Amino acid sequence: GKEAEGKDPGSTRGVRDMEGYLRGSQRARAQQQARQRQAPDEFALRQARGEARRAAEASASGEEEERWAAMGGRVAGHGWRGAVLVAESDARQGLPAVEALVAEGFAVLVALDGPSALQATRSNEFSCALVATDLPAIGGVEATRILRQREQGVGGASSGEGHPPPRLPVVAFTAETGPEDL
């Protein structure tokens, strides 16, 4: 058979699987772009309806919080565009961000509190970080301050040749809307 000819029957299957995956991914992007080319109001309305329906379904079952808790410390997505840290303790805020980033080709690591977010930045390289201001244990603003000190070499190790590590872009966000919350 094929093994006698010196060919591994599984070697071409992996290539075919990857080609199929890439074609499916390209097809999904093309379909998404086609939907976006529809009248912008129609696209936005469809998207809002879908998000509202998914949020209502998840809230009704409690599934959203369970899914979010299970994502803590785990990577979602394949990351052909890079990796993003999402530091958020509330599933209602975090899940839509993770889903959107994964859909755009990013790998996403979820941290549910400030200490987890800081640990993640020590052991992973990220394209950017989305950090909630109201994280438990260490808030997002304080976690960012600690990260910046570490990047400057204050109280932390620098990269191997005495240079500080590159500065991680951090986007802070909050669900609160009052002026005192900003």
Side-chain angles (χ1 to χ4, degrees), residues 22-86:
L22 292 174
R23 275 195 305 277
S25 188
Q26 290 169 343
R27 190 176 2 208
R29 274 194 303 279
Q31 289 170 345
Q32 174 78 13
Q33 290 169 347
R35 285 191 300 269
Q36 289 174 344
R37 282 192 296 270
Q38 294 174 356
D41 293 335
E42 181 183 341
F43 177 76
L45 184 58
R46 281 184 180 180
Q47 194 172 27
R49 281 185 195 144
E51 289 172 2
R53 181 179 37 79
R54 283 191 302 275
E57 289 169 358
S59 293
S61 67
E63 175 186 323
E64 189 175 69
E65 291 296 330
E66 290 176 22
R67 278 182 56 209
W68 189 244
M71 290 181 79
R74 301 183 127 191
V75 176
H78 298 291
W80 59 272
R81 284 194 152 174
V84 176
L85 171 64
V86 174

Side-chain angles (χ1 to χ4, degrees), residues 68-75 84-91 94 98 108-121 124 126 129-132 134-136 138 143 173:
W68 189 244
M71 290 181 79
R74 301 183 127 191
V75 176
V84 176
L85 171 64
V86 174
E88 170 59 76
S89 60
D90 185 350
V98 170
V108 180
L109 178 70
V110 174
L112 300 176
D113 57 31
S116 298
L118 287 169
Q119 180 57 38
T121 62
N124 299 284
F126 296 102
L130 304 178
V131 180
D134 61 346
L135 290 174
I138 298 175
F173 65 94

Side-chain angles (χ1 to χ4, degrees), residues 4 6 18 37 44 48-49 67 75 95 97 110 123 139 150 161 172 175 177:
M18 179 57 75
R37 282 192 296 270
R49 281 185 195 144
R67 278 182 56 209
V75 176
L95 277 173
V110 174
S123 54
R150 192 168 65 206
E161 294 150 11
T177 58

